[in-house]
């Protein structure tokens, strides 16, 4: 990394301690004085051990991968909504039911995705209930999609923060067509 007066440098690297152990370090610095030809004369910076942060990042990544595997193994459709009814998450199997890939849902409401007005009204009402009551709400709806007509049980559970406020709603839709 070539430091300069404007940007300096900020890098993370693994370091062997000589006893067979490894540590993560972060070094940050910049040139503070140059000679008349522009060559560096004096630099200032620091290096810190970031083992704890790196271990926490690795644990978080492992947890996220485990959650993705769990959701991928479920036959149910899993979604998460913000208070405006925008999709924060949609499981990959949503494409089997709607024809739309999961990525198309992110950041959008059902209206923005072009679903029929009557379906949007049903879904919006259901999504609002946990935000209003702070309790799980359960309903059923029918949907015609690429795989044909299906009936779903939809369970919407509030995600409540430490102050008791509903932050998001987790929704699980289970195909109960055969069960009827």
């Amino acid at each position: 990394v070539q430091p300069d007066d404007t940007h300096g440098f900020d890098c993370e690297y693994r370091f062997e301690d000589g006893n067979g152990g490894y540590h993560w370090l972060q070094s940050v610095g910049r040139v503070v004085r140059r000679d008349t030809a522009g060559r560096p004369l004096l630099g200032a910076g620091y290096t810190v051990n970031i083992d704890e942060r790196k271990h926490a990042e690795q644990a978080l990544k492992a947890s996220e991968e485990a959650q993705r595997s769990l959701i991928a193994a479920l036959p149910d459709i899993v979604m998460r909504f913000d208070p405006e009814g925008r999709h924060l998450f949609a499981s990959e199997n949503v494409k089997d039911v709607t024809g739309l890939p999961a990525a198309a849902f992110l950041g959008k409401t059902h209206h923005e995705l072009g679903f029929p007005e009557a379906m949007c009204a049903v879904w919006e009402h259901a999504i609002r209930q946990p935000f209003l009551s702070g309790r799980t709400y359960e309903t059923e709806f029918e949907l015609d999609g690429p795989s044909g007509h299906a009936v779903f049980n939809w369970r919407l559970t509030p995600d409540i923060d430490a102050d008791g406020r509903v932050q998001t709603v987790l929704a699980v839709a289970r195909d109960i067509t055969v069960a009827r």
Side-chain angles (χ1 to χ4, degrees), residues 57-170:
E57 288 171 358
Q58 290 167 352
L60 179 60
K61 183 178 178 185
S63 174
E64 288 171 348
E65 288 172 4
Q67 286 180 356
R68 269 192 290 278
S69 294
L70 175 64
I71 290 170
L74 292 174
D76 302 331
I77 296 169
V78 179
M79 295 182 163
R80 185 175 295 280
F81 297 97
D82 71 10
E84 287 79 42
R86 295 190 184 285
H87 292 81
L88 300 174
F89 175 84
S91 57
E92 294 296 326
N93 59 352
V94 72
K95 184 175 182 179
D96 300 337
V97 175
T98 66
L100 297 171
F105 284 80
L106 300 183
K108 295 184 181 155
T109 64
H110 290 106
H111 281 287
E112 293 168 333
L113 290 164
F115 285 101
E117 186 64 35
M119 284 305 319
C120 290
V122 168
W123 291 333
E124 287 173 358
H125 173 78
I127 293 166
R128 263 195 313 274
Q129 298 315 301
F131 280 107
L132 295 172
S133 70
R135 293 191 315 254
T136 296
Y137 181 79
E138 196 165 342
T139 189
E140 290 182 6
F141 66 88
E142 296 183 27
L143 180 67
D144 291 315
S147 302
H149 185 78
V151 179
F152 289 90
N153 171 270
W154 206 22
R155 187 172 175 85
L156 299 103
T157 304
D159 178 26
I160 300 172
D161 68 13
D163 295 325
R165 291 186 298 248
V166 179
Q167 296 299 304
T168 64
V169 168
L170 178 66

Side-chain angles (χ1 to χ4, degrees), residues 2-5 31-35 37-43:
Q2 290 293 324
D4 62 44
D5 296 335
V31 174
V32 293
R33 188 177 310 150
R34 295 180 180 273
D35 65 15
R39 293 182 300 254
L41 286 177
L42 182 64

